[in-house]
Amino acid sequence: MKHRYFLLFVVLCLFFSINLNAQVVDKFLQNSHISGDFEFDGMYYNKDSLIGAPDVPQKALMNSFVNVNYTNGPFAAGFRFENYLYGLEGYDPRYKGVGVPYKYISFEKDKFTVTVGNSYDQFGSGLIYRSWQDFSLGYDNSLNGLNVKFRPWKGITLKGIWGLQRFYFALSPGVIRGGDAEFSINDIFTKLNNKNLRVTVGGSFVSKYQDASDPVYTLPKNVCSYAGRASISYKNFSINGEYAHKINDPSAINNRIYKPGEATLIQATYAKKGMGFYLAAIRTDNMSYKTDRDASGSDLNINYIPAITKQTTYSLPAMYPYATQPNGEFGVQAQTIFSFKRKSALGGKYGTFFSITYSQYNNIDKQKINDVTPIDSTGTLGYKSDFFKIGKEVNYQNFNIEFSKKFTHTFKMILSYFYINYNTKVIEGHDLPNIYSHTGVADLTFNINDKNSIRTELQYMYTTQGDGSWAYAMVEYTIAPKWFFSLSDQYNYGNPVTAKQIHYFGVATAYAIGSTRISLNYGRQRAGIFCVGGVCRFVPAANGLTLTLTSSF
Amino acid sequence: MKTIFLSISLFFLSLSLLFAQENNQANGVLGLKKIPSVELKTLDGKTINTADISNNGKPIIISFWATWCKPCVNELTTIADVYPDWQKETGVKLIAVSIDDMKTSGNVKTTVNGKNWDYEVLLDVNSEFKRAMNVNLVPHTFVINGNGEIVWQHTSFSQGSELTLIDIVRKVAKGEKVN
C-alpha cells in the first residue's frame, strides 16, 4: 500500500516539474473551465407524532452533493460526490453514507460524441428509455457504461447506449442496450430548410438482459422494446406522437403476466401571439419496464411514463397529485392560455391573462382472456384490452382556471380555482372513498418600492373527504435581490378527527447573493411540493429546523 | 474505508478547485466559462447547439424556468413588460430555457404564446443543459458577454431583482467588468 502512494507522489512530482512550454500551458489553462454546483440540506427534527413526523434518533440528518465539471474544448469530465449522513427523512434509506455515484469522461471528435461512465439521455418522449436525475426527489437512474452520439449528416442523429443503471450506491442486476435514430427532414434536404411545414421522424430500440432461474415459470431473460415517433409542424400548428411496444415481461409490478406492453402519446398545439391551445392524450398498457423484474415502486425504471396533469405549486391543491399507473391508464389534458392585450377594454394598462386546464385519467378496459381465468392471473396473458375502449373507473380529474393581472405599477393579483377528484384507491392503494376538493387561491403582490415588496397567498380548500377542509395563509417580505422573510400557517380546520385539526406554522428566511443561496425554515411541514422564497422543491412531512445551502460556481 | 478516503479527498479536491477557480479567474489564468455544447429543441422543432448561441457581440441573458415554477413565470412576465426597452437600450437577447419534462413540456408553447413573451425558448426536457450549466434550482439566470463568456449568475427571483439584472446587462453592454 505504502509503495503505491509513494509511486503516485513521484509521478505527480514528475508531472509538475516537467518543463513545458509556457505558451502551451497558458493556452491549455485558458481553454480549461471548471464549474460546479453544490447543495446542502440539513434538518434538525422535533418529534411530532400529531402530524406523523417520527422521532429521529440521530436528531439531525443531511443530504448534500457537489457536482464538478471540467471542460477543455472537445474534452469534458466530471463527477458528483454525494453525502447522506444519514439521509433526510422521506428519502430511501439506501441513500446512506458517502460516495461518487456519478462520474464521466466525454469527448467530441469527427461527428462523434462519446461518453464513458455515467450518462443521462432520453429517446423520443422517453416511453422506452429515459435516464434522469433529481436530487430533491431522491431519483437517479443514470446509465453506467457507454453513450455514443453520431451525427453523420446535418439533421440525422444516431445514439447508442450500453450499460448498467445506478441503483442507490450499487448497480442494477440487469444490463441495458439500445439505440435511437432521429431524422429532421427539413435539415437533411437543404431545399426544405425554410419551408413552413417541418417534419421530424425517429425510432428507437431498447433491450434489457437479466438472468432468470424460476422453478415454475420460463421467464424471458432478454426483454426488448421499440418505439416510433413523428412530429409535424405547420405555421402555428404542431402535432407529435409516439408509439411504443414491449414484449412480454412478467414482473412484480404486473403480477407476472405474459402480456406484451404498449404505450401511445399524442400532443397537439395551436399557438400564436396572445393565445395557445394544447391537447394531449396518453394510453399505456402494462408498460412498467425495469432492469430488475422484482423491483418495486420507481426503482430501476428504464422508461418514463409522464403524468399529463396540471402541476401546481400552491400547497393546498398540490396536496392531491396524480401518480402514473404503470399497469395501464388513459389520460387526456386540454389547456388554453390567452391574454387580453394592453390598453384594450379587458386588458387594462398591463394586460390580463387567463389559463384554463382540464385533465382526466381513467383506467383501461380489461377483459378476461377466457371464461375461467380471472384478470391478471400470474403466468397467463393476464387480460385483453380494447385500444379504443376507455375503462370506466376515473383515476383522477383536475380542472383549473387562473386569472392574472397587474393592476397598477405596485399591485399584481393572481386568482386561481382548482377542482380535483382524487381516486385514493387507485393512486394510493388504500380502500378509501375518492376525495373531491374545491380550492380557491388569491396570490397578491404589493410593491412598496423598487426593492421592497410584500406577497401574500391565501388558499382555501373545501372537501368533506380525506383530511377534510384546509385554510392557508402566507405573507412574505422581500428586499430584492438578497433578502427574504416569510410567515405561514396551514390549518386543517375541517379534519373530521378533532384532535387532528392542526396548525402548521412556518417561519422562513433566505439570503441570496449571486448564485449562492442560504435559507432557514422552522416549523411543521406537510409532504408536498413547496415553493418558498422564489424556488421550488419537494419536502417530506416533518417538524423542525431546516438549513439549505445551494451554490453554483 | 478506501472508498470513504477516496470520497473525502475528492470532496476536498472539488472544494479547493472551487476556490482555485475563483482566484484563477481573477488572475486570468483559467478562462471564463463559455456556454457548453448541448443539443436542444426550439418550440418549432428545430435542433440547435447551445454552444452556437450568439447575439452579434451584444449581451445575452439565459434564464432557466419551468411552467410549474411560479417565481420563474413571475420573473419572465415581469421582464416581458420592460423587454422592448431593455433590447433598445442594450441590445440584449433573452433565452428562456424550459426544464419542463414530458409531463409539462407540452404546456410550454401555450404559456409562452399565451403570455405574449418575445423570448427565444429552448426545451431542455431531460435537464442536459441544466446539468452542463450547473443549475440546482429554478429560476436561475445567467448573463453572457459579447465573447460568449458567462460573467454573472443569480438564483431565485423576487420583485425588483430584474433591476439588478438590467444593471449587470448595461455594464456588460458597455464592456465594463462585472464584480
Side-chain angles (χ1 to χ4, degrees):
Chain A
M1 249 345 236
K2 269 187 182 166
H3 289 284
R4 219 186 285 171
Y5 285 123
F6 181 68
L7 196 68
L8 186 73
F9 180 67
V10 171
V11 168
L12 281 172
C13 283
L14 274 172
F15 179 75
F16 285 112
S17 60
I18 288 172
N19 192 6
L20 284 166
N21 181 314
Q23 266 187 333
V24 174
V25 175
D26 266 4
K27 203 182 163 209
F28 177 81
L29 289 174
Q30 277 294 321
N31 285 331
S32 289
H33 307 293
I34 294 164
S35 66
D37 51 290
F38 167 75
E39 181 166 330
F40 169 90
D41 301 303
M43 181 156 187
Y44 179 84
Y45 291 87
N46 294 327
K47 188 182 172 184
D48 191 344
S49 49
L50 212 53
I51 61 165
D55 190 10
V56 176
Q58 298 89 348
K59 297 287 177 204
L61 303 172
M62 70 92 112
N63 292 358
S64 93
F65 72 85
V66 183
N67 257 320
V68 177
N69 288 328
Y70 169 81
T71 56
N72 192 335
F75 175 82
F79 64 87
R80 188 189 320 113
F81 176 87
E82 295 181 9
N83 290 309
Y84 303 92
L85 299 169
Y86 294 70
L88 289 168
E89 281 290 311
Y91 288 82
D92 193 289
R94 283 167 286 188
Y95 281 122
K96 192 174 156 189
V98 293
V100 188
Y102 174 74
K103 43 210 175 285
Y104 71 93
I105 291 171
S106 104
F107 63 90
E108 282 177 41
K109 187 148 174 58
D110 305 330
K111 297 171 180 174
F112 274 95
T113 307
V114 177
T115 306
V116 182
N118 296 80
S119 67
Y120 296 103
D121 211 332
Q122 176 177 319
F123 291 171
S125 44
L127 293 178
I128 64 166
Y129 181 71
R130 185 190 186 205
S131 49
W132 60 293
Q133 183 253 345
D134 188 321
F135 187 72
S136 52
L137 292 174
Y139 191 89
D140 188 2
N141 66 347
S142 72
L143 188 84
N144 209 323
L146 191 64
N147 180 318
V148 180
K149 291 190 178 82
F150 177 45
R151 296 170 198 88
W153 186 272
K154 197 175 184 309
I156 300 177
T157 307
L158 306 173
K159 290 181 193 174
I161 52 156
W162 200 309
L164 302 169
Q165 279 175 307
R166 175 187 178 184
F167 186 51
Y168 303 100
F169 280 119
L171 293 170
S172 62
V175 61
I176 302 174
R177 298 134 315 170
D180 181 76
E182 186 167 287
F183 306 91
S184 170
I185 306 299
N186 297 67
D187 291 331
I188 297 171
F189 304 100
T190 32
K191 263 188 190 170
L192 304 173
N193 278 179
N194 296 312
K195 291 274 188 259
N196 283 323
L197 180 72
R198 292 195 67 84
V199 180
T200 304
V201 293
S204 42
F205 176 85
V206 173
S207 160
K208 67 146 176 179
Y209 170 82
Q210 183 190 8
D211 203 4
S213 54
D214 194 285
V216 184
Y217 300 109
T218 313
L219 297 168
K221 292 180 181 174
N222 288 290
V223 175
C224 81
S225 63
Y226 53 85
R229 62 184 185 269
S231 85
I232 300 162
S233 71
Y234 182 74
K235 289 181 178 172
N236 298 323
F237 181 75
S238 60
I239 184 162
N240 66 73
E242 179 160 15
Y243 173 80
H245 183 91
K246 185 190 66 148
I247 70 158
N248 70 86
D249 181 19
S251 69
I253 296 276
N254 70 10
N255 202 31
R256 299 188 193 283
I257 60 168
Y258 281 77
K259 189 180 190 297
E262 60 176 357
T264 313
L265 172 67
I266 296 171
Q267 296 172 297
T269 309
Y270 178 83
K272 62 177 192 181
K273 275 277 157 286
M275 63 188 280
F277 295 99
Y278 168 72
L279 211 62
I282 186 166
R283 182 184 181 277
T284 62
D285 178 356
N286 190 23
M287 213 39 202
S288 166
Y289 194 26
K290 293 171 184 287
T291 44
D292 181 358
R293 61 179 75 82
D294 297 318
S296 60
S298 57
D299 283 347
L300 296 169
N301 279 339
I302 299 170
N303 64 344
Y304 178 76
I305 307 292
I308 50 165
T309 58
K310 168 94 180 176
Q311 260 198 325
T312 179
T313 46
Y314 288 124
S315 53
L316 295 188
M319 203 180 283
Y320 298 116
Y322 185 62
T324 301
Q325 302 303 309
N327 287 339
E329 61 187 0
F330 177 81
V332 288
Q333 188 191 45
Q335 182 184 52
T336 174
I337 301 183
F338 54 96
S339 56
F340 294 107
K341 278 188 186 149
R342 290 161 159 234
K343 289 164 190 146
S344 67
L346 285 163
K349 194 178 170 190
Y350 297 98
T352 303
F353 304 102
F354 277 97
S355 118
I356 302 165
T357 312
Y358 179 77
S359 42
Q360 178 168 338
Y361 265 93
N362 279 44
N363 65 352
I364 52 169
D365 171 63
K366 284 187 180 182
Q367 302 297 335
K368 284 189 202 171
I369 45 169
N370 56 45
D371 291 341
V372 289
T373 315
I375 286 173
D376 282 339
S377 296
T378 299
T380 71
L381 281 172
Y383 56 89
K384 283 188 291 188
S385 181
D386 184 340
F387 187 90
F388 294 100
K389 222 166 153 188
I390 298 159
K392 287 196 184 79
E393 179 141 29
V394 176
N395 294 352
Y396 193 75
Q397 269 177 313
N398 183 339
F399 173 76
N400 169 242
I401 180 160
E402 188 168 291
F403 159 87
S404 77
K405 185 168 172 62
K406 186 172 165 184
F407 285 89
T408 65
H409 181 58
T410 55
F411 176 56
K412 215 161 50 177
M413 178 169 85
I414 301 172
L415 295 178
S416 199
Y417 164 80
F418 293 85
Y419 165 74
I420 292 168
N421 169 8
Y422 180 89
N423 189 327
T424 321
K425 203 171 153 185
V426 169
I427 299 168
E428 295 178 11
H430 301 135
D431 200 3
L432 293 166
N434 280 26
I435 295 165
Y436 303 92
S437 69
H438 301 267
T439 309
V441 177
D443 180 340
L444 317 168
T445 307
F446 307 90
N447 298 336
I448 300 164
N449 53 38
D450 280 349
K451 295 278 173 191
N452 294 264
S453 65
I454 293 174
R455 190 174 80 88
T456 165
E457 233 176 65
L458 303 167
Q459 303 180 25
Y460 171 77
M461 183 167 86
Y462 171 80
T463 175
T464 52
Q465 295 87 23
D467 290 336
S469 299
W470 291 76
Y472 173 84
M474 188 278 295
V475 56
E476 64 180 36
Y477 180 70
T478 52
I479 308 167
K482 289 183 177 164
W483 286 100
F484 161 88
F485 308 92
S486 94
L487 274 174
S488 64
D489 181 29
Q490 195 162 298
Y491 179 31
N492 192 191
Y493 75 95
N495 199 302
V497 182
T498 321
K500 286 195 169 175
Q501 292 177 356
I502 307 167
H503 285 277
Y504 290 70
F505 284 112
V507 191
T509 180
Y511 177 74
I513 178 160
S515 60
T516 301
R517 187 173 183 281
I518 182 160
S519 73
L520 270 172
N521 291 270
Y522 184 79
R524 280 173 166 162
Q525 284 161 344
R526 197 183 45 75
I529 297 171
F530 281 77
C531 274
V532 190
V535 289
C536 302
R537 59 176 18 268
F538 179 80
V539 183
N543 178 339
L545 180 72
T546 312
L547 170 72
T548 303
L549 175 66
T550 70
S551 186
S552 300
F553 55 93
Chain B
M1 197 53 209
K2 219 173 97 193
T3 331
I4 294 176
F5 175 75
L6 179 75
S7 306
I8 290 170
S9 22
L10 276 172
F11 180 70
F12 282 108
L13 176 72
S14 57
L15 281 182
S16 66
L17 285 173
L18 197 171
F19 295 112
Q21 168 85 347
E22 277 173 5
N23 289 335
N24 285 332
Q25 271 177 5
N27 299 331
V29 175
L30 287 193
L32 286 167
K33 189 182 179 180
K34 297 204 170 184
I35 306 173
S37 156
V38 173
E39 289 199 333
L40 297 181
K41 289 250 161 73
T42 63
L43 281 182
D44 46 11
K46 287 181 192 157
T47 302
I48 68 125
N49 191 313
T50 50
D52 299 335
I53 290 174
S54 70
N55 188 23
N56 298 321
K58 304 242 168 63
I60 301 166
I61 300 168
I62 295 180
S63 179
F64 282 83
W65 70 289
T67 56
W68 43 261
C69 164
K70 283 278 167 195
C72 306
V73 173
N74 193 6
E75 174 173 32
L76 292 171
T77 308
T78 304
I79 295 174
D81 279 347
V82 286
Y83 189 49
D85 301 337
W86 285 16
Q87 281 183 303
K88 220 180 196 177
E89 188 191 337
T90 61
V92 71
K93 176 163 87 174
L94 192 152
I95 295 168
V97 180
S98 144
I99 60 156
D100 287 86
D101 72 3
M102 285 313 293
K103 278 199 296 255
T104 48
S105 61
N107 304 121
V108 172
K109 203 170 179 177
T110 43
T111 305
V112 170
N113 280 281
K115 297 249 174 205
N116 266 321
W117 294 345
D118 274 320
Y119 312 131
E120 278 180 33
V121 178
L122 298 176
L123 301 169
D124 189 18
V125 286
N126 207 28
S127 293
E128 261 182 89
F129 192 41
K130 176 177 175 260
R131 250 188 312 277
M133 292 286 277
N134 294 105
V135 170
N136 268 357
L137 307 165
V138 285
H140 192 123
T141 307
F142 295 87
V143 175
I144 318 294
N145 70 14
N147 302 324
E149 294 160 338
I150 300 164
V151 290
W152 186 83
Q153 51 179 314
H154 184 77
T155 183
S156 86
F157 175 77
S158 46
Q159 213 63 41
S161 297
E162 74 281 6
L163 300 171
T164 314
L165 177 63
I166 185 61
D167 277 345
I168 300 288
V169 171
R170 280 185 191 120
K171 279 188 189 169
V172 172
K174 283 181 203 150
E176 289 172 20
K177 268 210 143 179
V178 180
N179 293 334

